[in-house]
């Protein structure tokens, strides 16, 4: 384009180089840590229930009361939502690099502190655990807009989708790592303390304080990958797009990218000044100009991410039933505390290995060929199909001879979530908004997703309870049942298909072309933004 700065054009057309892969690893290790920290809590909640809430006179080991369970698993999601909004905004105000280090140190400190949880009374342990997991989530939240924005602003336009998706795909390895660490720790303690199952000898099935160290070690290990990448994050230069278009320092942008690209670049200060002084490019987030150019885009990215996360985080709905039904996890009383942790970790690791991880990397492989729109639409479509296929004949799937089929359908649902909207909802907001608002808009979109996660994880946890009081989980009120909950999730996924049509296709286009930052005439830019919404199907 005529208005394109040389330094930005050089980034757009640059061949894939080592710095691209370095950026993927540095940003991706943040997401590896995010996933480890967010998902490892589901591995240890059963153990926490046994340690702090077991009454040895009862036939079953203790479990976390519903309110405590909701707090322990949900407080990090609430922190993540707040962090996405705050650090997204701060990333546009202070720069991507400055804020990137803050989020990482917060994650390291709170990972360690959440494993310490200063008390030995149930109330004290849960209170301090929830406090530190909120702030851990706050740091994790900042990683979403910053990692996506940094990767999009470093990448070339030909393979930008794959690079951003690769950063997000590190989540799959983080989930797997959580399961593997739990397996290693559980195996080590099992060899050290050979104890009977709960129904054989309730008191002997729990060795305290030794077993209390198990969950702490698993949570604290999340600090390791984050700490390892801190040095490399601090060595990354600020992105040229932020330096040139927001900080208005053409000389620094050219200098930084000359080192990265290993070419001589001209500092085009006059052209930078022309771009940033253009009145048509000074509109704010809450202006009419933003609403006209990007209002529908922001509505599309927020609603699709919200709807996707309702379905994605509601997987706990039937995970427990599946694992018990196929014999991966026996009834709690038939195991001791360490064996239960081992079985849960093994099941999560197998699901991640066979379904979650491949889905992420299918997106990486195909996103720059198929486009974001096609992958997102396909993902929502198949999630809708499989949800209804699970829901309508639900009584059929409950029969013993059909349980393997149920697991296959369940796995395919999450394969198409990851080879679909779970990846594209992360990629697209980093590509379609102006540089000065990019991190903020990504943070808003991601926060909408976490609001959906909270609805999915807790709203459906209660909704999926049986209609009959004697069949509900202990402490829960009656709900609408798993079958009706699955039907509702099918409808949620169908709405995801509808709102996907508000999201523009960014395949093969520069970031400035998508946002209209190169356009000198406001009407021309608006016309361009409108045409970007027209997606070939």
């Amino acid at each position: 384009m005529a208005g394109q700065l040389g330094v930005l054009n050089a980034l757009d057309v640059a061949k894939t180089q080592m710095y691209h892969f370095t950026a993927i690893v540095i940003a991706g290790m943040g997401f590896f840590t995010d996933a480890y920290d967010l998902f490892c809590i589901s591995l240890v909640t059963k153990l926490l229930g046994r340690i702090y809430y077991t009454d040895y006179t009862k036939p079953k080991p203790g479990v976390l009361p519903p309110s405590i369970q909701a707090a322990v698993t949900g407080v990090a999601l609430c922190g993540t939502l707040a962090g996405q909004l705050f650090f997204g905004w701060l990333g546009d105000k202070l720069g991507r690099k400055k804020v990137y280090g803050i989020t990482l140190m917060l994650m390291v400190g709170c990972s360690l502190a959440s494993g310490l949880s200063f008390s030995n009374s149930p109330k004290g342990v849960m209170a301090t655990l929830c406090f530190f997991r909120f702030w851990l989530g706050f740091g994790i939240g900042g990683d979403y807009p910053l990692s996506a924005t940094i990767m999009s602003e470093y990448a070339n336009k030909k393979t930008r989708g794959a690079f951003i998706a690769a950063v997000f795909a590190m989540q799959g390895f983080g989930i797997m790592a959580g399961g593997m660490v739990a397996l290693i720790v559980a195996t080590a303690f099992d060899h050290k303390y050979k104890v009977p199952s709960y129904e054989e000898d309730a008191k002997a099935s729990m060795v305290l304080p030794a077993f209390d160290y198990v969950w702490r070690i698993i949570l604290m290990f999340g600090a390791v990958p984050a700490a390892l990448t801190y040095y490399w994050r601090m060595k990354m230069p600020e992105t040229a797009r932020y330096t040139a278009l927001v900080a208005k320092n053409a000389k620094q942008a050219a200098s930084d990218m000359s080192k990265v690209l290993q070419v001589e670049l001209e500092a085009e200060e006059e052209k930078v000044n022309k771009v940033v002084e253009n009145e048509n490019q000074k509109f704010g987030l809450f202006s009419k100009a933003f609403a006209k150019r990007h209002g529908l885009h922001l509505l599309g990215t927020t609603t699709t991410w919200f709807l996707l996360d309702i379905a994605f985080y509601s997987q706990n709905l039937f995970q427990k039933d599946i694992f018990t039904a196929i014999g991966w996890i026996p009834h709690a009383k038939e195991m001791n505390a360490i064996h239960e942790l081992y079985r849960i970790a093994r099941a999560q690791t197998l699901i991640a290995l066979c379904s979650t991880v491949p889905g992420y990397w299918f997106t990486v492989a195909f996103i720059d060929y198929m486009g974001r729109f096609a992958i997102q639409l396909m993902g929502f479509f198949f999630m809708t199909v499989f949800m209804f296929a699970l829901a309508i004949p639900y009584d059929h799937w409950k029969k013993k001879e059909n349980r393997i089929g149920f697991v296959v359908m369940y796995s395919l649902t999450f394969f198409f979530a990851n080879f679909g909207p779970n990846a594209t909802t992360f990629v697209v907001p980093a590509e379609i908004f102006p540089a000065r608002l990019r991190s903020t808009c990504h943070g808003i979109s991601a926060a909408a997703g976490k609001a959906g996660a909270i609805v999915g994880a807790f709203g459906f946890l209660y909704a999926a309870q049986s209609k009959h009081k004697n069949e509900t989980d202990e402490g829960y009120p009656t709900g609408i049942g798993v079958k009706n909950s699955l039907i509702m999730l099918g409808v949620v996924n169908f709405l995801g298909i509808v709102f996907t049509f508000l999201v523009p296709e960014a395949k093969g286009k520069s970031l400035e072309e998508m946002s209209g930052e190169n356009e000198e005439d406001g009407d021309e830019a608006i016309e361009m933004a409108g045409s970007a919404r027209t997606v070939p199907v």
Side-chain angles (χ1 to χ4, degrees), residues 82-406:
Q84 286 163 337
L85 292 172
F86 177 73
F87 286 115
W89 168 78
L90 203 63
D92 284 332
K93 292 296 177 188
L94 300 183
R96 315 340 181 182
K97 181 186 173 180
K98 284 182 183 176
V99 183
Y100 217 20
I102 298 170
T103 62
L104 204 64
M105 291 312 295
L106 198 55
M107 286 157 62
V108 171
C110 292
S111 287
L112 294 172
S114 62
L116 296 173
S117 296
F118 319 113
S119 181
N120 56 6
S121 71
K123 189 176 285 187
V125 170
M126 297 306 151
T128 52
L129 177 60
C130 287
F131 175 81
F132 287 117
R133 279 194 64 80
F134 175 86
W135 291 108
L136 173 64
F138 194 68
I140 289 169
D143 237 34
Y144 276 73
L146 293 169
S147 290
T149 301
I150 285 170
M151 199 63 243
S152 73
E153 293 182 346
Y154 263 104
N156 62 53
K157 63 184 180 182
K158 187 178 178 183
T159 55
R160 185 178 61 236
F163 289 160
I164 305 172
V167 169
F168 193 64
M170 294 297 285
Q171 273 199 337
F173 292 125
I175 295 169
M176 274 181 57
M180 290 168 71
V181 169
L183 287 172
I184 292 166
V185 174
T187 302
F189 274 79
D190 188 43
H191 280 290
K192 172 74 174 172
Y193 304 97
K194 296 189 180 297
V195 295
S197 68
Y198 185 88
E199 65 181 354
E200 289 173 331
D201 188 335
K203 285 193 175 180
S205 72
M206 179 70 67
V207 182
L208 293 174
F211 285 8
D212 193 49
Y213 293 127
V214 173
W215 67 270
R216 298 176 188 273
I217 292 168
I218 293 168
L219 295 189
M220 292 170 76
F221 188 82
V224 174
L228 290 175
T229 53
Y230 183 78
Y231 171 76
W232 297 105
R233 276 199 183 188
M234 293 301 93
K235 279 192 70 177
M236 285 179 82
E238 182 58 87
T239 72
R241 285 182 161 90
Y242 183 87
T243 306
L245 300 176
V246 184
K248 308 175 187 179
N249 190 337
K251 190 174 181 181
Q252 187 64 48
S255 172
D256 288 343
M257 288 307 103
S258 291
K259 293 172 189 172
V260 166
L261 296 170
Q262 298 175 337
V263 294
E264 285 295 320
L265 293 170
E266 183 185 349
E268 304 162 290
E269 292 187 35
E270 287 185 18
K271 198 180 277 189
V272 166
N273 292 334
K274 192 175 181 183
V275 172
V276 298
E277 287 171 10
N278 182 2
E279 290 300 319
N280 295 312
Q281 303 303 334
K282 289 186 177 179
F283 57 82
L285 181 65
F286 300 105
S287 65
K288 286 184 180 178
F290 179 87
K292 192 169 185 179
R293 296 178 186 217
H294 299 293
L296 284 177
H297 298 166
L298 188 58
L299 178 64
T301 57
T302 51
T303 50
T304 51
W305 207 335
F306 174 78
L307 294 165
L308 174 275
D309 272 12
I310 290 177
F312 192 75
Y313 280 84
S314 66
Q315 63 176 302
N316 291 331
L317 241 177
F318 38 68
Q319 199 168 62
K320 174 189 66 176
D321 297 330
I322 290 171
F323 294 157
T324 302
I326 63 174
W328 281 1
I329 302 178
H331 294 289
K333 65 182 180 180
E334 297 171 15
M335 300 176 283
N336 62 47
I338 292 298
H339 286 168
E340 186 173 39
L341 170 65
Y342 181 89
R343 295 288 192 119
I344 293 168
R346 186 180 67 174
Q348 180 170 302
T349 307
L350 284 169
I351 288 288
L353 183 64
C354 299
S355 176
T356 308
V357 171
Y360 281 125
W361 290 97
F362 265 72
T363 301
V364 174
F366 291 105
I367 191 167
D368 287 311
Y369 298 99
M370 294 174 63
R372 291 77 166 138
F373 178 84
I375 287 178
Q376 184 161 310
L377 201 67
M378 176 193 70
F380 270 128
F381 172 77
F382 281 112
M383 288 174 73
T384 305
V385 169
F386 288 123
M387 281 292 183
F388 282 128
L390 286 171
I392 295 168
Y394 183 66
D395 293 331
H396 166 82
W397 295 119
K398 286 171 69 176
K399 294 174 183 173
K400 192 170 184 178
E401 63 270 21
N402 300 324
R403 287 170 182 170
I404 297 299
F406 191 91

Side-chain angles (χ1 to χ4, degrees), residues 1-13 96 152-157 160 239-242 244-246 275 281 293-294 430-436 438 506 508-520 524-525 528-529 532:
M1 296 180 72
Q4 179 81 322
L5 294 168
V7 63
L8 305 187
N9 186 59
L11 280 169
D12 278 338
V13 300
R96 315 340 181 182
S152 73
E153 293 182 346
Y154 263 104
N156 62 53
K157 63 184 180 182
R160 185 178 61 236
T239 72
R241 285 182 161 90
Y242 183 87
L245 300 176
V246 184
V275 172
Q281 303 303 334
R293 296 178 186 217
H294 299 293
E431 299 182 301
I432 62 176
F433 299 107
R436 67 188 179 282
R438 186 170 290 134
K509 297 177 181 175
S510 74
L511 298 180
E512 289 68 44
E513 191 179 349
M514 289 304 300
S515 64
E517 285 169 290
N518 286 339
E519 301 293 341
E520 294 180 22
E524 193 178 343
M528 184 284 306

Side-chain angles (χ1 to χ4, degrees), residues 402-442:
N402 300 324
R403 287 170 182 170
I404 297 299
F406 191 91
V407 175
V408 172
M409 300 282 276
Y410 170 79
S411 299
L412 283 170
T413 302
F414 290 96
F415 172 80
F416 281 106
N418 295 315
F419 182 29
N422 194 36
T424 55
T425 51
F426 176 80
V427 172
V428 173
E431 299 182 301
I432 62 176
F433 299 107
R436 67 188 179 282
L437 299 171
R438 186 170 290 134
S439 179
T440 302
C441 289
H442 195 285

